[in-house]
Amino acid sequence: MELSKPHPAPPRWKEQFMLIREMRSKLIAAVDTMGCDRPQDRDIDPKSRRLTVLISLMLSSQTKDETTSAAVTGLAQRLGGVITLEGLLGASDELVQEAICKVGFWRRKTVYIRQSMEKLRDEFGGDVPKTVDELCSLPGVGPKMAFLCLQNAWDINVGIGVDTHVHRITNRLGWHKPPTTTPEQTRLNLQSWLPKEYHAEINHMLVGFGQALCYPVGPRCDLCELAEKKLCPSRSKVGKVEGRREVMWKKEEGGEVKVEVEEIGELSGRREIIVDVPGEGSAEVDVKVEEGEGEVNEIVEEVEKAAEGKEVDGRVRDALDW
């Protein structure tokens, strides 16, 4: 389906897009490692990998990436380590349900998987189909899953996969006039004006942005560069941030130092400092604390100096073996 009249490209959309891309490169999001479009094991044979992508997407509906990832891993383990068509056809419903019982609508999805695997065997030569219409003929597979499956299983880009994150964020950005009310409307609008070179990446980019910063409730506009540059019409003034979800940023080389301090067993008056400095690796420092946290704080300060390339106290350098 296509719009009879293309939606006009929003003003400054590319500036917004590129800034989100830049922020995403620094954010830690579940979709980056556990996304349903990215099977954990990329060393399996291509046919099994394509099937794993399809199964992951089928399980992902109404389910968080973390739960979907665990279900796919559990299913693979129960099938001997790899998800294959033969393994799924030979598996009992009970075995499949045991692996996927924490995903949303798991009973219904068990039926969909059974019916879809039979269809793959009987109509598609035992492999994942290569067109949107063929994929949508499988029980439990809709357009969003079909577009993402083609992109990640076959490297075929024929449309944009739109989920709740893409739908919500593009409306927050003011990319739809009037605002869209369904993901399908959002998809048709986006496909009518967004250059095809960006179609393959927009889903993954915005899903991670929605997971890590632009939350459905209580978005962290206080940390968003779009809000800072007044590029988001939905930006809000953020008051107290205590109790709000924490934003996880990737470390940049030469960047911040992670210092954790924890008690060591029964050794009263002693602390272990675990130091992780980019470019230097990790080390443990066992120090005696004479008065409160004084000495610990001193060592933390010295480690931070080291990360900035400054001279540090000899005892810290010796302890870290730098």
Side-chain angles (χ1 to χ4, degrees):
M1 292 179 60
E2 293 183 357
L3 295 180
S4 56
K5 181 180 179 181
H7 185 287
R12 305 187 75 178
W13 72 266
K14 194 164 186 179
E15 193 176 352
Q16 294 168 314
F17 189 100
M18 295 303 173
L19 191 53
I20 293 174
R21 180 196 275 176
E22 182 182 343
M23 284 189 286
R24 272 290 282 117
S25 69
K26 304 172 186 176
L27 289 166
I28 298 174
V31 70
D32 294 331
T33 55
M34 294 178 281
C36 57
D37 57 338
R38 302 193 172 197
Q40 303 90 326
D41 189 350
R42 292 179 174 269
D43 295 328
I44 58 180
D45 68 275
K47 198 170 183 179
S48 295
R49 185 183 180 280
R50 290 192 289 270
L51 183 61
T52 302
V53 169
L54 175 61
I55 294 297
S56 299
L57 288 165
M58 293 178 70
L59 295 178
S60 69
S61 177
Q62 305 298 313
T63 306
K64 291 184 177 181
D65 284 333
E66 297 89 338
T67 305
T68 299
S69 178
V72 172
T73 298
L75 184 58
Q77 291 173 344
R78 287 168 175 78
L79 295 177
V82 180
I83 295 176
T84 64
L85 180 63
E86 295 75 17
L88 285 171
L89 287 171
S92 65
D93 288 349
E94 290 74 21
L95 182 146
V96 174
Q97 290 174 350
E98 187 179 81
I100 72 170
C101 62
K102 292 187 179 181
V103 305
F105 305 106
W106 56 275
R107 287 190 177 86
R108 186 185 308 171
K109 289 175 182 177
T110 300
V111 175
Y112 288 161
I113 289 173
R114 173 73 60 197
Q115 294 173 342
S116 294
M117 295 309 102
E118 292 173 353
K119 199 172 180 71
L120 293 187
R121 178 194 61 196
D122 299 338
E123 300 180 27
F124 299 112
D127 206 345
V128 173
K130 298 177 71 172
T131 72
V132 171
D133 288 342
E134 289 173 335
L135 281 165
C136 287
S137 74
L138 300 174
V141 177
K144 180 201 81 170
M145 295 182 195
F147 291 129
L148 292 175
C149 188
L150 288 177
Q151 288 169 0
N152 290 277
W154 290 107
D155 198 23
I156 296 174
N157 181 27
V158 293
I160 298 172
V162 175
D163 67 353
T164 56
H165 291 288
V166 178
H167 177 58
R168 178 183 77 254
I169 293 170
T170 56
N171 273 284
R172 281 181 175 175
L173 292 171
W175 285 4
H176 309 287
K177 302 291 184 183
T180 54
T181 58
T182 67
E184 181 63 7
Q185 290 178 339
T186 296
R187 178 181 74 83
L188 293 174
N189 275 4
L190 289 174
Q191 287 179 189
S192 74
W193 64 264
L194 184 69
K196 286 190 176 180
E197 62 190 279
Y198 301 116
H199 286 195
E201 71 172 298
I202 189 172
N203 177 276
H204 190 84
M205 182 180 79
L206 291 187
V207 168
F209 188 59
Q211 290 176 339
L213 192 69
C214 193
Y215 309 133
V217 179
R220 294 301 302 270
C221 299
D222 56 313
L223 300 176
C224 180
E225 294 181 42
L226 288 170
E228 180 184 345
K229 297 178 184 294
K230 298 184 179 180
L231 285 172
C232 178
S234 302
R235 65 187 182 278
S236 61
K237 291 184 178 180
V238 180
K240 294 182 178 179
V241 296
E242 291 81 0
R244 294 204 178 199
R245 290 172 59 183
E246 181 182 1
V247 175
M248 304 297 291
W249 300 96
K250 294 177 182 176
K251 287 184 182 179
E252 295 183 7
E253 189 169 347
E256 67 172 329
V257 180
K258 176 184 177 184
V259 179
E260 298 178 357
V261 182
E262 57 182 272
E263 294 284 350
I264 302 182
E266 300 178 356
L267 296 178
S268 177
R270 300 190 73 83
R271 297 272 175 150
E272 178 185 42
I273 300 179
I274 303 173
V275 181
D276 185 0
V277 180
E280 297 286 359
S282 298
E284 295 180 358
V285 186
D286 185 7
V287 298
K288 185 177 181 180
V289 181
E290 298 292 349
E291 296 181 7
E293 301 296 331
E295 190 165 350
V296 171
N297 291 336
E298 287 179 22
I299 291 183
V300 168
E301 290 173 3
E302 294 296 327
V303 170
E304 290 174 342
K305 287 181 184 177
E308 297 172 359
K310 298 178 181 178
E311 187 62 31
V312 300
D313 187 287
R315 63 200 168 95
V316 177
R317 182 173 294 279
D318 291 343
L320 296 177
D321 193 26
W322 290 349

